[in-house]
């Protein structure tokens, strides 16, 4: 009987915390204004509702896949396209966050850069890319070296 109660409590707490976390993520994306910024930059404002639905469906699918891992055999090109899509979304989220927080003008005032702001933005993006590649590839490189 106690194990049934503990299992039930775990289910209730798990579902409750998932709802809270996903609500927070969606609220953050809404606060940052990611969907309107993307639709404005790509001149596709008439499809902004579809963008929002895609983000919500992606959050639901991601949550479900983290609970129930489903293995679907797909070619490597599909995995590359999905990975690029995740990277583009993350980059868009970061760029919209820096735009909302006025990061570049604040940085400009602090370090008094007169020329080269675009180079600074490219350097930040390149640093993010190198960091992500290091994070994802370094363990695989170590495994390849150790397996030889």
């Amino acid at each position: 009987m106690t194990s049934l109660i503990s299992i039930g409590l775990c289910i209730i707490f798990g579902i409750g915390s998932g709802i809270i976390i996903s609500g927070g993520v969606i609220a953050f994306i809404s606060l940052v204004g990611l969907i309107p910024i993307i639709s404005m930059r790509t001149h596709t404002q008439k499809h902004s509702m579809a963008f929002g639905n895609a983000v919500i469906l992606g959050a639901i699918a991601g949550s479900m896949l983290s609970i129930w891992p489903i293995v679907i055999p797909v070619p490597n090109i599909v995995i590359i396209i999905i990975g690029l899509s995740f990277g583009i979304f993350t980059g868009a989220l970061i760029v919209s966050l820096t735009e909302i927080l006025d990061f570049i003008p604040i940085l400009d005032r602090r370090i008094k850069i007169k020329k080269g702001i675009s180079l600074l933005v490219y350097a930040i993006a390149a640093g993010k890319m190198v960091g992500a590649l290091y994070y994802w590839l370094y363990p695989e490189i170590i495994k390849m070296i150790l397996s030889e």
Side-chain angles (χ1 to χ4, degrees):
M1 187 67 170
T2 359
S3 70
L4 282 176
I5 293 173
S6 63
I7 290 172
L9 287 174
C10 285
I11 290 171
I12 290 170
F13 287 139
I15 290 173
S17 62
I19 290 170
I20 290 170
I21 290 171
S22 63
V25 168
I26 297 298
F28 176 71
I29 288 173
S30 298
L31 176 73
V32 168
L34 179 68
I35 311 292
I37 289 172
I38 288 176
S39 63
M40 182 181 68
R41 299 274 187 215
T42 58
H43 306 292
T44 55
Q45 287 92 349
K46 61 183 175 186
H47 300 293
S48 63
M49 187 66 117
F51 290 151
N53 291 337
V55 168
I56 291 171
L57 288 174
I60 291 170
S63 297
M64 292 175 68
L65 288 174
S66 69
I67 295 171
W68 300 292
I70 298 171
V71 178
I72 302 171
V74 293
N76 287 340
I77 188 73
V78 174
I79 295 172
I80 291 170
I81 291 170
I82 291 171
L84 282 173
S85 300
F86 290 168
I88 290 169
F89 177 77
T90 303
L93 183 63
I94 291 169
V95 167
S96 63
L97 182 60
T98 57
E99 189 172 308
I100 294 297
L101 296 176
D102 292 330
F103 172 73
I104 301 299
I106 290 171
L107 190 64
D108 180 32
R109 281 193 304 258
R110 298 270 185 201
I111 59 178
K112 295 177 180 36
I113 293 179
K114 298 297 178 208
K115 295 180 183 175
I117 282 288
S118 61
L119 291 174
L120 180 66
V121 171
Y122 286 130
I124 291 170
K128 174 73 177 147
M129 182 186 70
V130 168
L133 288 173
Y134 177 80
Y135 176 80
W136 290 107
L137 296 178
Y138 182 72
E140 295 300 319
I141 293 171
I142 294 297
K143 285 180 189 175
M144 286 184 346
I145 291 172
L146 293 178
S147 67
E148 292 179 353

